[in-house]
Amino acid sequence: MADKAKSLPEDLRIEARPQPRALRILTIVTVLGFAATLVLGLGVAGADIQQGEIQRIFYIHMPSFFGAFTAFGLTVAGGLIYLARKSEKWDRIALAGVEVGLAFSLINLLTGAIWARPIWNTWWTWDPRLTSAAIMCLTYAAYLMLRAGIEDPERRRAFMSVYGILAFVTVLITLFIIRIVPETIHPVIVGASPQNAQGSFEATSGVVIALIPSMLLWLTLMPITIMWHRVRLEERMDALNRLKFQVLSE
Amino acid sequence: MPMKTAITVLTLALALLTNGAVMANDGKEAGAPYFQSRAFNVPILDGWDDQSGEAFAQFHLAEAQATIRTTTRTLSDPIAAAEAELAMLTSLRVPSPTYSDKVNLADGTWQVLVYDLEEETTASVMARTADGRVVVISFIERDPAARTAMLTLARSDESHEDAAREMILASDALAETMPSYLAQEESVTLASGEWSVYAGEGITAMGLVFGNDSYVALQQGEQGDLAALADAYNRTLLGFFITPDNSQYLALALAAVLVILGTLVGSLFWRERGLRKDLAVLEELAREEE
């Protein structure tokens, strides 16, 4: 086994690159944190008197958007630093941000649609907030498709860095659209709004106890932990591709 | 080893989740102030006499001689269902509507109707076809000293922050009042939201903006109880379609979350496995060459 490892590039040697202790700890803390926030949301916070049980999905619905915000924000940071330094590491972070952010956005979109069915009596409505969230998801899904379609690695990294930076506009629009276009039925969480006459709830102590840990988890631990695993995988995939190229050219 | 740890922790999480769901059910507040049926869910109005039956929610306010009723009818036409409902409820002949229009809300298109019936009775109705039936929400006012009507209108001018334009349209259509006769008064905050108030000679109009629509209440003649009536009717409208028992939707949403997260994490494992297989093939090739 040791001989085998010696014949491989260092990036591909599992024995030479064990999972960092910090990542292992982070993974365990994240999984436990996720379980704890579920218990808080499903058990500790009381049932909403008007909306009933489905209101509990709010403890995932809103935090998942902010988790996507962190991941897409790291894509912007990765893209900018890649363009400045041309270091592949930052391109991998940008890619990981898109994959994780897209998954979190889908969670946000799906849980919203499932909440809307019993509360608004419809799975979907072309409300400005819902529409902008859908456009955001499609924009980042297009990132992954475009990335797969560009063969030249350097061109791909440069192009996708610019795309990842520009795509963040859709995240900002989704975040602020209910302030820009007030004709929305989506509840406005911060501040008073006429929208809150329907499908809204008061932030009681139970809500706060469940919401704040969930927000912190999704905003920081969840995206960072998953992205770290994804970046490590991408490093190894890049090394494998280099090895394949080397073998084929020999 | 990390895989085994993850499985153990996930099992623990699921056990806690199950326990959490049980705790959630135990902690559920019983007797929420809602009339709940399979087709609709409406708030039980404080201070109103609850006359609800098994298949209909009905509340009556004696001092205003007003009734709010929500039910379903097995008809296909919303107007026919509204008229059948009014005929049954008032035992009066139902003439052509004084006002008839459609409005698109989040759950679909509603027929908005106002009828001036005999015996100084005014009826405002919202009706919509859903699942082969028509849901009918009626507001009936029999006070001989006042005429009160409720309308829901699409916002015609989004530059206005309040429902002024729709209040003017409604008062023009129903009371034939010149728009310039209405003057703005102080707005009022009720359980259903913040209402703007306009008043003219013998008429008061109240308007609530919600999303792309305005909810308007008009009262002519002797005035005084419009705020209470508008609030009660619009609380019924805004809350009526919330599904009473929606715990299955919560389970569906949680399943969706776990599936997406599982796919994301699973894809990392699958790609890692693919990588190792490719690596093994390359090593095999290298050995064969040697």
Side-chain angles (χ1 to χ4, degrees):
Chain A
M1 190 67 191
D3 290 343
K4 264 188 194 178
K6 270 178 200 169
S7 66
L8 295 171
E10 196 178 323
D11 329 39
L12 287 171
R13 277 187 235 151
I14 294 163
E15 300 81 357
R17 299 207 54 187
Q19 208 174 67
R21 189 179 159 80
L23 180 56
R24 271 185 284 169
I25 293 169
L26 202 58
T27 305
I28 292 167
V29 170
T30 303
V31 174
L32 286 175
F34 182 66
T37 56
L38 285 178
V39 171
L40 288 173
L42 294 174
V44 175
D48 187 272
I49 204 159
Q50 187 178 349
Q51 295 188 29
E53 295 297 324
I54 189 64
Q55 182 271 334
R56 295 178 190 279
I57 204 60
F58 171 77
Y59 305 121
I60 293 176
H61 172 71
M62 191 172 92
S64 64
F65 176 80
F66 285 98
F69 185 88
T70 301
F72 292 144
L74 288 169
T75 296
V76 173
L80 285 171
I81 299 172
Y82 174 78
L83 291 175
R85 296 186 189 167
K86 302 289 177 202
S87 161
E88 288 175 29
K89 178 175 78 177
W90 294 101
D91 175 62
R92 289 181 197 124
I93 290 173
L95 170 64
V98 171
E99 281 191 13
V100 173
L102 184 59
F104 287 9
S105 305
L106 286 174
I107 288 175
N108 175 259
L109 214 57
L110 268 176
T111 52
I114 295 168
W115 172 87
R117 181 64 184 82
I119 302 299
W120 292 345
N121 203 22
T122 183
W123 294 101
W124 185 263
T125 178
W126 292 105
D127 175 86
R129 168 58 76 80
L130 276 64
T131 308
S132 64
I135 290 170
M136 180 183 82
C137 281
L138 291 173
T139 305
Y140 282 102
Y143 174 105
L144 296 177
M145 286 190 269
L146 271 173
R147 191 176 176 104
I150 304 173
E151 288 201 3
D152 177 22
E154 277 188 25
R155 210 168 139 241
R156 178 174 63 221
R157 288 185 203 114
F159 182 80
M160 296 325 294
S161 295
V162 174
Y163 187 106
I165 294 162
L166 295 179
F168 197 68
V169 173
T170 62
V171 181
L172 296 176
I173 290 173
T174 304
L175 188 62
F176 293 115
I177 196 152
I178 51 175
R179 309 287 172 188
I180 303 163
V181 186
E183 285 72 35
T184 173
I185 58 170
H186 190 282
V188 176
I189 303 304
V190 181
S193 160
Q195 289 93 314
N196 290 349
Q198 183 175 348
S200 71
F201 48 88
E202 298 292 326
T204 58
S205 58
V207 171
V208 174
I209 286 167
L211 182 61
I212 289 179
S214 190
M215 278 291 281
L216 290 174
L217 179 89
W218 284 83
L219 198 60
T220 55
L221 290 180
M222 294 269 284
I224 290 168
T225 307
I226 303 174
M227 278 178 68
W228 193 345
H229 282 288
R230 179 66 187 90
V231 167
R232 279 175 52 83
L233 176 67
E234 190 65 17
E235 275 171 7
R236 289 164 52 72
M237 285 167 76
D238 281 349
L240 178 73
N241 286 336
R242 276 199 304 273
L243 184 64
K244 277 181 185 171
F245 184 75
Q246 198 184 315
V247 169
L248 288 171
S249 54
E250 278 169 6
Chain B
M1 186 61 186
M3 182 78 164
K4 279 183 184 171
T5 313
I7 291 169
T8 312
V9 173
L10 199 62
T11 311
L12 184 66
L14 285 171
L16 290 170
L17 179 64
T18 316
N19 187 38
V22 171
M23 283 160 70
N25 283 332
D26 288 347
K28 192 162 64 178
E29 288 191 50
Y34 270 76
F35 173 92
Q36 299 181 339
S37 81
R38 279 180 62 197
F40 56 85
N41 182 42
V42 295
I44 292 168
L45 300 169
D46 296 338
W48 290 58
D49 182 22
D50 187 352
Q51 303 173 336
S52 304
E54 251 182 53
F56 65 91
Q58 186 170 309
F59 304 96
H60 181 70
L61 188 64
E63 53 266 38
Q65 298 182 55
T67 303
I68 296 173
R69 178 181 157 98
T70 308
T71 191
T72 58
R73 287 204 158 247
T74 45
L75 288 166
S76 56
D77 177 32
I79 297 179
E83 294 180 354
E85 179 71 3
L86 291 182
M88 187 277 298
L89 199 56
T90 63
S91 306
L92 297 171
R93 190 184 65 82
V94 181
S96 299
T98 313
Y99 177 93
S100 176
D101 204 354
K102 287 179 178 171
V103 65
N104 290 316
L105 301 183
D107 63 332
T109 305
W110 286 81
Q111 187 76 44
V112 183
L113 301 152
V114 176
Y115 293 89
D116 282 308
L117 305 170
E118 295 159 350
E119 300 176 11
E120 298 179 272
T121 300
T122 310
S124 308
V125 183
M126 294 269 289
R128 177 180 179 259
T129 307
D131 303 326
R133 290 180 296 183
V134 178
V135 179
V136 186
I137 308 169
S138 317
F139 168 81
I140 295 158
E141 171 272 304
R142 297 184 179 88
D143 186 355
R147 175 182 180 235
T148 309
M150 307 287 176
L151 293 177
T152 305
L153 299 100
R155 293 193 72 196
S156 51
D157 184 355
E158 291 169 1
S159 63
H160 283 87
E161 283 189 6
D162 66 11
R165 177 95 183 123
E166 291 74 47
M167 279 188 269
I168 289 165
L169 284 173
S171 58
D172 197 26
L174 283 172
E176 294 172 359
T177 306
M178 292 298 287
S180 57
Y181 287 4
L182 293 176
Q184 189 169 11
E185 299 199 341
E186 207 169 313
S187 60
V188 289
T189 303
L190 305 171
S192 51
E194 189 176 347
W195 292 75
S196 46
V197 183
Y198 282 70
E201 199 177 326
I203 184 167
T204 303
M206 291 180 66
L208 168 75
V209 172
F210 180 81
N212 302 321
D213 306 287
S214 291
Y215 295 80
V216 175
L218 285 179
Q219 194 167 56
Q220 285 178 286
E222 196 177 292
Q223 286 154 44
D225 50 16
L226 183 61
L229 297 178
D231 191 42
Y233 183 63
N234 286 281
R235 275 177 61 207
T236 304
L237 289 187
L238 295 173
F240 97 97
F241 50 60
I242 292 175
T243 309
D245 178 13
N246 50 37
S247 51
Q248 286 174 329
Y249 288 96
L250 177 64
L252 178 65
L254 287 173
V257 172
L258 293 176
V259 165
I260 293 172
L261 284 180
T263 306
L264 179 64
V265 175
S267 80
L268 298 181
F269 283 115
W270 295 324
R271 282 185 278 187
E272 177 71 31
R273 275 182 62 187
L275 186 141
R276 287 185 192 195
K277 278 182 188 169
D278 282 3
L279 207 52
V281 172
L282 286 173
E283 280 178 337
E284 189 66 31
L285 280 173
R287 264 200 299 274
E288 278 173 16
E289 274 181 23
E290 277 169 17

